[in-house]
Amino acid sequence: ANVELEVEVEAALAEHAEGIGLYRTEFLYLDGAPPDEDRLVEVFSRVARAIAPRVTTLRTFDLGADKLPLAHGPRIAGGALGLRGLRLALARPELFEAALRAMLRAAADAPIRVMFPMVTTLGELKLATQALESARRSLRRRRVPHGKVEVGAMIEVPSLLFELDSFIPRLDFLSVGSNDLLQYLYAADRNNTRVASRYDPLAVAPLRALLAIVEAARRHGKPLSLCGEMAGRPLEALALLGLGFRTISMAPASIGPVKAMILSLDVAALETWLAEKVRAGEGNLRAELKRWAESNDVDI
Ligand code: PEP
Ligand code: MG
């Protein structure tokens, strides 16, 4: 499940989510001064303990763009192409390291993965990993209890598509942020109603981008998921399974309908059919996928 607020954890459990694939921790920063480290530890521990033994994926704060804290708006504003996500975190090392220390501390008693948003270059990933190391050293020095975490990155900036083989070996897991990946691939602001739904996630270009990510993750034997909104829409989730995704994360309310689709699906038949369509790269794939689902009795 994807979770923005702690209260949604209950809904995720009620829908039998197999873990938290995306906890948008920036929501803890939106209503005033940034939360201090102890407050973050409290929230992260409560969430992770509720989800245990399943894993909680904590995304470091993806502030900026559409998510601006009230008290810090003017200082960090910058839009979707500005100082957001990891870029902002690296510009505010005190906030970033406090968040990382809190994640490591919460990992003392429940399984936690740490995920970086808006990674754009290998250099940024190295800086983020160094910040995590520095957070760990500081806890060790002060003998503060903490645990091991897996470290992953969101694949949501198109530059990464051309450097996957250098990125992936440095990660324990990766997760596609298709909301942003589509926004940047299509140069279409996801918050602008005049262009946001103008371009189809089921068109050839995004499907080929997603397929390249699936193939690269397989080459390196690394766990891959996708946590953008398309995972929660049955027809789009069907396409993801056909491309080879086996882990997807979505709002709790979408889990039921997507599960119904999956349980009625012969995925091997879909994979063979879709691979050919994506390679050929012609026609209206959304309409064809819908027809395929209907003629194969898939519950979309
Ligand atoms: C995404 O970009 O697809 C994503 C899951 O993150 P967010 O929507 O919070 O940017
Ligand atoms: Mg995103």
Side-chain angles (χ1 to χ4, degrees), residues 24 59 62 67 84 117-118 154 156 177-181 184 190:
R24 292 181 164 103
R59 173 172 80 182
D62 184 14
K67 299 163 195 136
R84 65 167 290 201
M118 276 296 287
M154 296 197 66
E156 54 184 351
S178 53
N179 304 336
D180 280 310
L181 187 61
Y184 298 127
R190 60 192 268 192

Side-chain angles (χ1 to χ4, degrees), residues 123-181:
E124 283 178 351
L125 178 65
K126 286 183 189 164
L127 290 173
T129 317
Q130 281 165 16
L132 183 63
E133 259 326 296
S134 157
R136 203 188 322 268
R137 270 198 309 276
S138 134
L139 294 172
R140 208 178 292 139
R141 205 167 41 238
R142 292 179 289 126
R143 297 182 197 286
V144 179
H146 58 286
K148 283 204 164 62
V149 294
E150 295 198 333
V151 181
M154 296 197 66
I155 309 292
E156 54 184 351
V157 180
S159 57
L160 298 198
L161 296 177
F162 304 96
E163 259 187 309
L164 288 168
D165 287 317
S166 342
F167 266 89
I168 298 177
R170 297 172 177 272
L171 300 167
D172 296 317
F173 68 95
L174 44 156
S175 184
V176 179
S178 53
N179 304 336
D180 280 310
L181 187 61

Side-chain angles (χ1 to χ4, degrees), residues 220-279:
H220 296 277
K222 293 291 167 93
L224 168 70
S225 66
L226 182 142
C227 57
E229 300 307 313
M230 64 184 295
R233 295 190 280 262
L235 184 66
E236 291 169 28
L238 172 97
L240 294 174
L241 289 162
L243 292 173
F245 283 88
R246 289 297 177 270
T247 306
I248 50 179
S249 191
M250 65 205 74
S254 299
I255 292 177
V258 170
K259 230 179 222 184
M261 178 279 290
I262 293 172
L263 292 173
S264 62
L265 173 69
D266 174 356
V267 75
L270 171 67
E271 278 185 325
T272 316
W273 177 85
L274 186 60
E276 177 49 40
K277 292 286 170 196
V278 172
R279 214 180 354 260

